[in-house]
Amino acid sequence: MNREELMKFAIDAGFRAANVVPGDWLLIRPMGNGCTIELQKFYVAARRAEREECAKMVDHILKEGGGTWGDAIRARGEK
């Protein structure tokens, strides 16, 4: 998952974003007393996307071979 994907999840969850400096976004919390619902929506979307990426990685390893699941997971952290 990259920064742009995370920003999309946050905006879809109800946060607003301001482009303070070109290419550098700032999240602004929604109006109201808190942002628990928006954080939950963000968490669910990010978790779903990460799970799908892991599933694709496992499918690739099982079909193509070349390494272990652990190696592939560690490599994801270096993106």
Side-chain angles (χ1 to χ4, degrees):
M1 224 175 318
N2 60 36
R3 180 178 169 87
E4 288 76 27
E5 290 171 309
L6 290 172
M7 290 298 294
K8 181 187 179 314
F9 297 149
I11 292 166
D12 289 349
F15 288 90
R16 294 183 296 134
N19 193 354
V20 180
V21 176
D24 192 14
W25 292 87
L26 173 68
L27 283 177
I28 302 168
R29 77 181 188 112
M31 298 299 286
N33 293 334
C35 54
T36 303
I37 293 171
E38 290 80 5
L39 285 172
Q40 288 174 340
K41 288 178 183 178
F42 172 78
Y43 170 76
V44 168
R47 191 172 120 189
R48 184 179 297 130
E50 184 64 16
R51 187 172 42 245
E52 180 58 28
E53 288 301 315
C54 288
K56 288 178 186 177
M57 176 186 61
V58 169
D59 288 345
H60 176 75
I61 290 170
L62 292 175
K63 290 177 186 174
E64 306 295 327
T68 67
W69 295 357
D71 292 340
I73 291 169
R74 286 182 199 93
R76 282 190 52 73
E78 297 179 12
K79 280 186 174 182

